[in-house]
């Protein structure tokens, strides 16, 4: 049922209008009558207030503008203002056509002459205007929703007619093009949306016209730039599609586009990060590989040379472990800057990872050019680095290769440069070495040792040998040094000098060192349980073990596991190991001393021997290096050094052990100058545990005597 508000003053006309509506068989109407404009406005205000007690909403208004308190168009205007969304039908007299026509122009739905109204006609007119009003409201709602949606999305939207003239822009499109809607509508699309190719700078074909002509969606090519109204350039991506009418005919096109500057920048950044080292901002191994391959092809075409330098920073791990990763990172950044200062803009300095750098010198005329660069780099890296309150000293080992002499492709050049770098390390570090063919075999052997070494512990291929330490006055065994040997299943017995450096390089030395300490303690405990007494067992400690933050805890744990007292353990360290991080080493050695262990300074005299070191570190034993013992009886300088060390040890109340004693003459000399202890082949070679036990048994059974001199 439709609620109709009838605004009419004449009672007879009111009855006639009501009768006409009630006589209609098309629809059911509820008619509410008011006689004045004021009453109508009051009734409509109740509806606006939306009170729960207000009458049902008015679906349509029938207005006779001849009212006592407001006549003609004035009455209509007041009612229209009060109910702008409600359809109004004007009822006029025969002479009121002009009022009806003007009312329709002002917003009325229609007008009818009161004298000619038929029931069907009036009913139909009311129903039609109610439906038109409902359709108009629905259309307005849909349009409003579309407008709000288009202005709310993040993408820009534009549309054109079939001629390519702009018909619509949303707010984002206005912002991106710089054209307000009022200025853009009606203009050619190419004038509002100017787009060019970023590389060629040439104008691109209008995507709207392309969509209209081809009658299918199209997109701009990559690297498209939108030229805004203020000539600012913005990279954009778009998609344009044709618009069709109900008959399938193309009537225009719509385009959705967006600013891709942020995503492009992110993509470029990701690409950059994928090819550059995050710490130093240098090219990484991926970018170096590409540049090296390109450089090789260029050199091959033009019959030119290029050089590749593989650089490893000596003692970097020590700096990183002792001063912390933050200092280590800063050091790498400073090294990168210095290396960059040593090359040309056309060359490439890259970081391979860790403390390794590779430098590509393109278009070198002679090998001497590479040598000059290597000299500059060695000097640059060797200068002290001031980081916070630390003066950091490092050096570099450099391997050099020349194309095409040392390799024909990028992979071979890198591999050979790596081999040469390791050779530089073997030659004492802080130098450069050119690649030589024989390095291939050496590197292959080193790699084979490293691969087998990783499985040696698991396969129980290591064993310990024990060399007696002898008291020279009584010729009795007072201790032993535990020496590791590798019993390789294919290569047989491998000496420590061959595999210990490799173990240090690949990080296995800490694990191996703990294995040695644990097995030595177990063995001495087993001998003691069998009644074979041994004063002390000496175990070598590498510089890397000494830098391990868990070293002291691991020694304590092994002593607890084996039930071996710390007072029977002597840990041998070298001067070089101590001086790599003197403060940390002093702290660790003091902790070991508190635990009860003894400390021996191995290879004494070959490093940076100094009385200040003996004062700074808690040393119990000085071991005279075998190089001084070898020519003891023939070289007066060696003899003087040995006598001085013996005397110094006596004065400092330190035990002194002469290493490498091989002859009776050497033994007599050491006895003459009161050297307390010695070890070497003269007394016995390093023995297996079973052999050493037999020697201990003989000492117990036949009075302590190894070899009389």
């Amino acid at each position: 049922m439709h609620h109709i508000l009838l605004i009419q003053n004449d009672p007879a006309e009111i009855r006639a209008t009501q009768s006409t509506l009630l006589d209609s068989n098309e629809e059911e109407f509820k008619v509410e009558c008011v006689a004045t404009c004021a009453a109508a406005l009051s009734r409509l205000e109740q509806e606006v207030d939306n009170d729960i007690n207000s009458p049902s909403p008015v679906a349509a208004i029938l207005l006779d503008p001849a009212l006592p308190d407001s006549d003609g168009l004035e009455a209509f205007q007041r009612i229209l203002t009060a109910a702008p969304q409600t359809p109004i039908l004007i009822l006029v007299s025969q002479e009121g056509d002009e009022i009806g026509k003007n009312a329709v122009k002002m917003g009325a739905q229609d007008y009818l002459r009161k004298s000619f109204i038929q029931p069907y006609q009036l009913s139909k007119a009311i129903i039609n205007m109610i439906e038109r009003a409902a359709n108009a409201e629905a259309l307005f709602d849909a349009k409003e929703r579309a407008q709000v949606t288009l202005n709310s999305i993040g993408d820009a939207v534009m549309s054109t007619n079939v001629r390519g003239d702009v018909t619509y822009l949303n707010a984002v499109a206005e912002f991106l093009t710089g054209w307000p809607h009022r200025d853009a509508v009606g203009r050619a699309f190419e004038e509002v949306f100017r787009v060019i190719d970023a590389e060629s700078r040439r104008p691109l074909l209008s995507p709207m016209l392309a969509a209209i002509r081809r009658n299918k969606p199209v997109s701009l090519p990559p690297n498209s730039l939108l030229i805004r109204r203020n000539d600012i350039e913005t990279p954009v991506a778009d998609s344009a599609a044709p618009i069709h009418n109900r008959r399938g005919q193309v009537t225009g096109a719509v385009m959705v586009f967006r600013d891709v500057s942020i995503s492009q920048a992110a993509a470029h950044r990701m690409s950059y990060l994928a090819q550059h080292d995050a710490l130093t901002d240098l090219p990484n191994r991926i970018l170096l590989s590409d540049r090296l391959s390109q450089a090789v092809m260029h050199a091959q075409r033009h019959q030119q040379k290029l050089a590749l330098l593989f650089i490893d920073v000596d003692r970097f791990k020590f700096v990183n472990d002792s001063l912390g990763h933050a200092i280590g990172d800063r050091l790498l950044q400073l090294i990168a800057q210095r290396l960059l200062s040593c090359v040309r803009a056309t060359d490439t300095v890259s970081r391979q990872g860790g403390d390794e750098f590779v430098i590509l010198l393109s278009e070198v005329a002679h090998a001497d050019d590479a040598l000059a660069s290597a000299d500059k780099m060695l000097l640059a890296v060797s200068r002290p680095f001031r980081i916070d309150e630390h003066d950091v000293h490092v050096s570099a080992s450099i391997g050099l290769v020349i194309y095409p002499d040392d390799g024909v492709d990028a992979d071979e050049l890198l591999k050979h440069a790596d081999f040469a770098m390791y050779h530089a390390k073997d030659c004492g570090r802080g130098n450069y070495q050119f690649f030589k063919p024989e390095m291939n075999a050496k590197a292959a052997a080193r790699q084979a040792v490293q691969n087998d070494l990783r499985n040696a512990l698991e396969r129980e291929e290591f064993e310990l040998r024990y060399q007696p330490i002898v008291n020279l006055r009584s010729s009795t065994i007072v201790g032993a040094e535990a020496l590791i040997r590798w019993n390789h299943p294919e290569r047989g017995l491998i000496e420590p000098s061959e595999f210990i450096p490799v173990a240090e390089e690949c990080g296995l030395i800490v694990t191996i060192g703990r294995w040695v300490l644990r097995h030595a303690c177990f063995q001495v405990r087993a001998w003691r349980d069998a009644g074979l007494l041994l004063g002390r067992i000496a175990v070598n400690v590498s510089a890397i073990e000494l830098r391990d933050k868990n070293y002291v805890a691991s020694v304590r744990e092994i002593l607890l596991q084996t039930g071996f007292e710390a007072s029977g353990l002597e840990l041998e360290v070298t001067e070089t190991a101590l001086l790599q991080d003197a403060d940390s080493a002093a702290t660790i050695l003091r902790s070991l001393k508190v635990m009860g262990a003894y400390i021996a300074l191995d290879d004494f005299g070959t490093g940076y021997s100094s009385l200040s070191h003996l004062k700074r570190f808690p040393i119990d034993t000085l071991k005279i290096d075998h190089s001084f013992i070898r020519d003891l009886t023939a070289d007066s300088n060696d003899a003087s050094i040995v006598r001085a060390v013996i005397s110094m040890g006596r004065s400092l109340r330190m035990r002194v052990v002469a290493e490498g004693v091989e002859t009776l003459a050497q033994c007599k000399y050491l006895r003459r100058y009161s050297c307390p202890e010695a070890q070497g082949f003269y007394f016995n070679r390093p023995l297996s545990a079973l052999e050493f036990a037999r020697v201990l048994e003989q000492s117990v059974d036949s009075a302590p005597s190894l070899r009389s001199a």
Side-chain angles (χ1 to χ4, degrees):
M1 179 176 290
H2 301 294
H3 191 110
I4 307 299
L5 178 62
L6 175 60
I7 309 172
Q8 204 166 27
N9 184 55
D10 189 304
E13 291 179 346
I14 290 174
R15 287 192 296 273
T17 303
Q18 287 179 323
S19 176
T20 302
L21 284 173
L22 294 175
D23 290 344
S24 170
N25 295 322
E26 298 296 322
E27 295 287 341
E28 291 186 6
F29 298 104
K30 178 181 178 182
V31 181
E32 179 183 354
C33 300
V34 292
T36 64
C37 186
L41 294 176
S42 176
R43 167 64 180 83
L44 293 172
E45 284 177 2
Q46 294 176 5
E47 191 166 303
V48 172
D49 292 341
N50 199 24
D51 192 328
I52 58 174
N53 297 317
S54 58
S56 57
V58 173
I61 298 173
L62 301 185
L63 172 63
D64 184 344
L67 298 174
D69 57 346
S70 184
D71 189 36
L73 290 175
E74 179 189 352
F76 167 72
Q77 185 64 54
R78 293 177 68 186
I79 298 302
L80 179 64
T81 301
Q85 307 300 327
T86 307
I88 302 174
L89 179 64
I90 305 298
L91 303 176
V92 298
S93 61
Q94 189 170 354
E95 298 81 15
D97 282 356
E98 193 64 29
I99 293 175
K101 292 177 181 178
N102 287 330
V104 170
K105 290 179 181 180
M106 294 170 65
Q109 291 290 321
D110 205 349
Y111 75 95
L112 293 175
R113 290 182 183 178
K114 292 181 285 186
S115 56
F116 295 100
I117 294 178
Q118 300 296 323
Y120 174 79
Q121 180 186 23
L122 181 58
S123 172
K124 197 67 176 175
I126 292 174
I127 294 303
N128 285 343
M129 73 176 188
I130 290 174
E131 290 179 353
R132 283 198 302 271
N135 291 337
E137 187 67 23
L139 183 61
F140 177 82
D141 288 345
K143 183 178 179 181
E144 184 67 15
R145 281 195 299 272
Q147 185 69 46
V148 171
T149 301
L150 290 173
N151 284 330
S152 299
I153 63 175
D155 289 342
V157 180
M158 290 180 66
S159 63
T160 68
N161 57 25
V162 73
R163 295 188 304 275
D165 299 327
V166 175
T167 57
Y168 174 77
L169 296 87
N170 71 348
V172 180
E174 289 182 314
F175 173 75
L176 287 181
T177 62
W179 284 85
H181 185 277
R182 63 180 181 276
D183 295 343
V185 171
R187 292 181 181 271
F189 175 77
E190 294 86 345
E191 183 180 356
V192 177
F193 191 83
R194 291 187 295 150
V195 64
I196 62 172
D197 181 85
E199 295 181 2
S200 67
R201 310 295 296 179
R202 294 177 180 174
L204 295 173
L205 177 66
S206 164
M208 291 291 219
L209 292 179
I212 291 170
R213 292 170 184 170
R214 300 174 189 173
N215 194 18
K216 65 178 183 179
V218 298
S219 297
L220 285 169
N223 299 320
S224 298
L225 287 178
L226 171 65
I227 311 298
R228 300 190 185 193
R229 195 175 187 182
N230 57 5
D231 292 331
I232 293 176
E233 298 179 355
T234 302
V236 292
D238 85 323
S239 177
I243 300 173
H244 302 91
N245 61 18
R246 286 184 295 177
R247 294 184 294 275
Q249 297 171 327
V250 177
T251 59
V254 63
M255 180 177 71
V256 179
F257 61 100
R258 68 193 62 86
D259 178 355
V260 295
S261 55
I262 295 177
S263 59
Q264 275 191 3
H268 291 155
R269 180 61 179 164
M270 290 180 64
S271 176
Y272 183 86
L273 291 176
Q275 297 183 328
H276 289 77
D277 173 53
L279 178 64
T280 62
D281 207 34
L282 294 176
N284 61 15
R285 63 175 66 245
I286 296 174
L287 184 54
L288 174 73
S289 178
D290 179 66
R291 289 187 181 179
L292 181 55
S293 298
Q294 296 294 330
V296 167
M297 288 189 290
H298 182 272
Q300 187 178 33
R301 281 196 303 269
H302 296 86
Q303 300 297 304
Q304 295 175 334
K305 292 180 180 291
L306 63 83
L308 200 66
L309 288 73
F310 202 114
I311 300 178
D312 184 88
V313 181
D314 303 324
R315 298 182 69 248
F316 173 75
K317 190 175 189 305
F318 158 69
V319 174
N320 214 34
D321 291 345
S322 60
L323 300 181
H325 292 289
I327 298 294
D329 288 348
R330 295 266 300 281
L331 176 60
L332 289 174
Q333 291 170 339
L334 293 173
I335 290 173
Q337 293 173 13
R338 290 191 185 178
L339 293 177
L340 284 170
S341 69
C342 297
V343 300
R344 304 164 297 185
T346 55
D347 300 326
T348 297
V349 178
S350 73
R351 182 182 176 217
Q352 295 293 284
D355 58 351
E356 293 180 340
F357 297 83
V358 175
I359 287 84
L360 168 61
L361 304 178
S362 57
E363 301 179 16
V364 296
H366 306 285
D368 290 345
D369 297 338
L371 288 179
S373 295
D375 280 326
K376 290 170 63 177
M377 293 173 191
L378 287 177
L379 182 61
V381 175
S382 65
R383 295 200 312 271
F385 294 86
R386 185 66 181 176
I387 305 176
D388 295 339
E389 71 277 9
H390 304 284
D391 284 320
V392 181
H393 297 263
V394 293
S395 60
S397 299
I398 305 178
L400 293 92
V401 293
I402 303 294
Y403 171 86
D405 305 347
D406 301 320
V408 295
D409 59 36
D411 290 339
E412 191 174 32
L413 288 169
L414 272 170
K415 181 174 68 174
H416 289 171
D418 190 19
F419 292 168
M421 181 272 292
Y422 274 107
H423 185 60
K425 282 188 172 295
D426 292 340
C427 291
R429 305 173 186 260
N431 68 94
Y432 56 78
Q433 297 291 327
F434 273 104
F435 171 76
K436 297 174 183 176
E438 56 266 27
M439 292 179 187
N440 267 322
K442 186 175 181 180
R446 182 194 295 268
Q447 187 62 47
V449 169
Q450 181 173 320
N451 292 339
D452 291 345
L453 199 57
R454 296 186 183 279
N455 300 315
L457 273 174
E458 182 179 336
R459 296 173 181 172
E460 300 182 350
E461 294 173 2
F462 289 122
E463 60 183 61
L464 289 184
R465 299 292 175 90
Y466 302 89
Q467 186 169 42
I469 299 174
V470 179
N471 182 299
L472 289 178
R473 180 176 298 177
S474 64
S475 296
T476 58
I477 299 174
V478 293
E481 181 177 355
L483 301 169
I484 189 171
R485 297 293 186 265
W486 181 8
N487 193 5
H488 194 281
E490 298 174 359
R491 300 172 57 192
L493 205 62
I494 301 177
E495 293 295 321
S497 59
E498 187 174 347
F499 68 86
I500 290 298
V502 178
E504 290 179 334
E505 290 172 7
C506 67
L508 289 172
I509 192 63
V510 172
T511 304
I512 292 174
R514 291 179 183 177
W515 182 91
V516 171
L517 180 60
R518 182 179 293 106
H519 278 69
C521 291
F522 265 127
Q523 184 59 65
V524 177
R525 178 62 189 270
W527 286 333
R528 291 180 177 179
D529 291 344
L532 303 174
L533 301 182
L534 185 69
R536 67 183 185 276
I537 186 71
V539 176
N540 290 285
V541 180
S542 76
I544 294 175
E545 288 182 90
L546 207 58
R547 293 199 300 266
D548 180 21
K549 62 182 180 180
N550 297 317
Y551 181 69
V552 174
S554 69
V555 172
R556 184 181 292 108
E557 180 184 359
I558 289 172
L559 292 175
L560 288 173
Q561 289 174 351
T562 59
F564 192 73
E565 74 281 1
S567 59
L569 176 64
E570 186 169 70
L571 299 170
E572 297 190 4
V573 297
T574 64
E575 291 174 278
T576 304
L578 294 180
L579 297 181
Q580 285 187 2
D581 186 359
D583 292 337
S584 176
T587 301
I588 290 174
L589 294 185
R590 281 193 289 268
S591 298
L592 294 170
K593 285 288 294 180
V594 170
M595 194 186 303
Y598 290 92
I599 308 299
L601 190 56
D602 199 13
D603 301 338
F604 186 73
T606 61
Y608 306 94
S609 301
S610 169
L611 290 176
S612 65
H613 299 160
L614 300 181
K615 178 181 178 182
R616 183 176 189 181
F617 301 109
I619 305 299
D620 301 294
T621 303
L622 298 179
K623 301 195 75 172
I624 305 174
D625 188 70
H626 65 86
S627 61
F628 299 108
I629 304 299
R630 183 175 53 245
D631 298 323
L632 177 64
T633 58
D635 189 317
S636 60
N637 290 328
D638 285 348
S640 297
I641 291 173
V642 170
R643 289 196 303 271
V645 174
I646 294 171
S647 177
M648 181 173 59
R650 185 184 305 115
S651 300
L652 296 174
R653 297 183 180 180
M654 292 181 179
R655 180 186 292 121
V656 177
V657 179
E659 294 184 293
V661 179
E662 298 182 354
T663 67
L664 175 61
Q666 293 168 351
C667 187
K668 286 182 176 180
Y669 191 97
L670 292 169
R671 277 201 175 110
R672 185 182 312 138
Y673 288 100
S674 302
C675 181
E677 299 174 4
Q679 68 183 93
F681 280 10
Y682 175 72
F683 305 103
N684 233 319
R685 71 185 192 282
L687 303 169
S688 68
L690 182 60
E691 291 171 330
F692 195 87
R694 289 172 183 163
V695 172
L696 286 179
E697 287 174 351
Q698 292 172 4
S699 299
V700 172
D701 294 340
S702 59
S705 175
L706 261 183
R707 195 163 183 172
S708 299

